[in-house]
């Protein structure tokens, strides 16, 4: 009986220690660099892996980045490309709406002679890719890879890690969602005028510094008041939404498109001259 109690106490201590360690990561959710460094430091002290990848999905960012950390190995660029494709496939399989293009970055990565180079994806005998979702939204992904088989079989430790990572990813998502709401026009989902002014100032400074062309494009919907008076404001809102989406989708992802006024839309086009 005493041995069983001791085992329960040991398990409880491990669980509470792990939870406390992960909860401390919460203070870094607004500092992505520190969050990644601290998270990988913690994971490397708990898990055995050759490669781990973490993706935090922010609602206010179009650019999606997977952060990787290597442990006791170096993974070739070709293998990393296959890993990224595998992650993309798995999260799309989990939910067909999850279609993203990813960039990737390494955290605490450096080659040295003591590390063995992994040259092919097939060298990973164990893999664990877990999309973390909440209410139909993809909050992020954690992916583990190891050269030895049967590394990531179900365990209580892994369950705790996934639960705590979900909590961190949810907090980060909520912060990004709050930030997005502050810069987005709720009707058209384009950027609002205040945020556009900040972007324009930055782009104008960059254009001046590097002597690159910069253009503005503005759309004003003719007779919009007459449309509202004839068919009602709900119909006018729908027309504004469709035109806004058409304007945005006609431009590049790098172009900033905003609602400038009631029926006025505007875009700043970097490195674009009048002919273009």
């Amino acid at each position: 009986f005493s041995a069983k109690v001791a085992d329960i106490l040991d398990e409880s201590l491990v669980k509470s220690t792990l939870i406390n360690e992960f909860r401390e990561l919460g203070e870094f959710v607004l500092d992505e660099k520190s969050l990644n460094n601290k998270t990988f430091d913690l994971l490397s002290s708990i898990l055995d892996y050759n490669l781990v990848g973490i993706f935090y999905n922010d609602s206010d960012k179009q650019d999606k980045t997977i952060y990787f950390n290597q442990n006791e190995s170096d993974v070739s660029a070709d293998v990393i490309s296959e890993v990224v494709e595998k992650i993309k496939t798995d999260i799309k399989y989990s939910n067909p709406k999850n279609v993203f293009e990813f960039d990737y970055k390494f955290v605490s990565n450096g080659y040295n002679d003591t590390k063995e180079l992994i040259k092919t994806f097939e060298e990973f005998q164990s893999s664990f890719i877990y999309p973390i979702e909440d209410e139909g939204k993809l909050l992020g992904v954690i992916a583990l890879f190891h050269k030895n088989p049967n590394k990531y079989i179900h365990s209580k430790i892994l369950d705790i890690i996934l639960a705590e990572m979900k909590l961190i990813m949810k907090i980060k998502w909520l912060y990004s969602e709050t930030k997005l709401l502050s810069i987005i026009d709720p009707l058209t989902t384009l950027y609002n005028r205040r945020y556009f002014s900040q972007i324009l100032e930055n782009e104008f400074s960059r254009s001046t510094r590097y002597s690159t062309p910069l253009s503005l494009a503005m759309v004003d919907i003719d007779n919009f008041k007459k449309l509202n008076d004839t068919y009602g404001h709900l119909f006018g809102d729908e027309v504004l939404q469709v035109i806004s989406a058409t304007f945005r989708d006609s431009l590049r992802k790098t172009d900033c498109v905003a609602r400038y006024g009631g029926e006025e839309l505007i875009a700043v086009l970097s490195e674009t001259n009048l002919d273009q």
Side-chain angles (χ1 to χ4, degrees):
F1 178 76
S2 59
K4 187 176 289 187
V5 170
D7 288 342
I8 292 171
L9 289 174
D10 286 344
E11 183 179 312
S12 178
L13 180 60
V14 169
K15 181 177 179 180
S16 62
T17 302
L18 269 179
I19 290 173
N20 287 335
E21 292 280 355
F22 274 101
R23 296 290 162 89
E24 288 181 5
L25 296 177
E27 65 181 279
F28 301 106
V29 290
L30 299 181
D31 181 355
E32 196 163 84
K33 182 178 179 180
S34 295
L35 177 61
N36 281 308
N37 286 331
K38 298 289 186 182
T39 302
F40 286 133
D41 285 346
L42 181 54
L43 290 178
S44 64
S45 69
I46 302 167
L47 295 172
D48 189 15
Y49 59 82
N50 292 114
L51 180 71
V52 60
I54 294 178
F55 162 58
Y56 298 100
N57 193 17
D58 289 345
S59 62
D60 63 328
K61 285 185 180 178
Q62 291 184 337
D63 299 330
K64 308 296 183 182
T65 302
I66 304 174
Y67 292 93
F68 286 110
N69 177 253
Q70 299 173 111
N71 195 13
E72 304 303 325
S73 61
D74 273 286
V75 184
S76 73
D78 289 341
V79 175
I80 291 293
S81 296
E82 290 190 61
V83 167
V84 172
E85 288 301 315
K86 173 66 174 168
I87 293 173
K88 285 169 58 177
T89 301
D90 278 32
I91 65 173
K92 184 179 178 182
Y93 179 79
S94 170
N95 188 334
K97 294 188 299 183
N98 296 332
V99 180
F100 300 116
E101 289 300 320
F102 290 102
D103 192 8
Y104 67 84
K105 294 180 181 178
F106 282 105
V107 176
S108 302
N109 176 45
Y111 181 81
N112 62 58
D113 294 336
T114 64
K115 291 186 176 182
E116 184 178 357
L117 180 65
I118 296 176
K119 299 179 181 179
T120 65
F121 182 78
E122 288 70 27
E123 291 180 56
F124 290 129
Q125 295 296 302
S126 297
S127 65
F128 178 82
I129 300 174
Y130 190 79
I132 297 176
E133 297 184 341
D134 183 68
E135 298 180 352
K137 297 188 292 284
L138 180 70
L139 302 179
V141 178
I142 181 168
L144 298 160
F145 300 88
H146 202 285
K147 292 180 70 175
N148 296 335
N150 304 319
K151 272 290 180 183
Y152 306 116
I153 299 171
H154 176 78
S155 70
K156 291 182 180 179
I157 295 293
L158 194 55
D159 284 346
I160 294 170
I161 291 171
L162 294 176
E164 293 304 312
M165 287 300 298
K166 179 175 181 177
L167 183 60
I168 293 167
M169 288 177 174
K170 188 170 184 178
I171 293 171
K172 198 170 188 307
W173 171 273
L174 290 173
Y175 270 114
S176 71
E177 205 168 43
T178 302
K179 180 182 175 184
L180 182 65
L181 290 174
S182 71
I183 63 175
I184 291 293
D185 172 64
L187 178 62
T188 62
T189 70
L190 300 178
Y191 290 118
N192 59 33
R193 181 170 176 171
R194 181 174 60 85
Y195 182 70
F196 178 83
S197 297
Q198 297 174 15
I199 295 296
L200 179 58
E201 186 176 338
N202 292 339
E203 289 296 329
F204 186 80
S205 296
R206 192 162 68 92
S207 174
T208 304
R209 187 182 310 120
Y210 298 108
S211 299
T212 56
L214 180 70
S215 296
L216 290 177
M218 178 171 270
V219 169
D220 180 68
I221 305 173
D222 290 340
N223 303 313
F224 191 69
K225 184 178 184 302
K226 184 177 179 181
L227 187 72
N228 280 330
D229 292 343
T230 305
Y231 298 103
H233 286 276
L234 289 178
F235 185 79
D237 287 349
E238 188 173 345
V239 169
L240 187 58
Q241 289 170 334
V242 171
I243 291 176
S244 297
T246 303
F247 189 35
R248 178 182 56 211
D249 295 344
S250 299
L251 300 175
R252 303 165 298 186
K253 286 186 176 181
T254 54
D255 297 326
C256 178
V257 188
R259 184 182 183 187
Y260 196 73
E263 68 273 19
E264 297 170 331
L265 312 176
I266 193 168
V268 56
L269 313 174
S270 60
E271 299 187 23
T272 305
N273 60 34
L274 186 60
D275 290 336
Q276 291 169 326

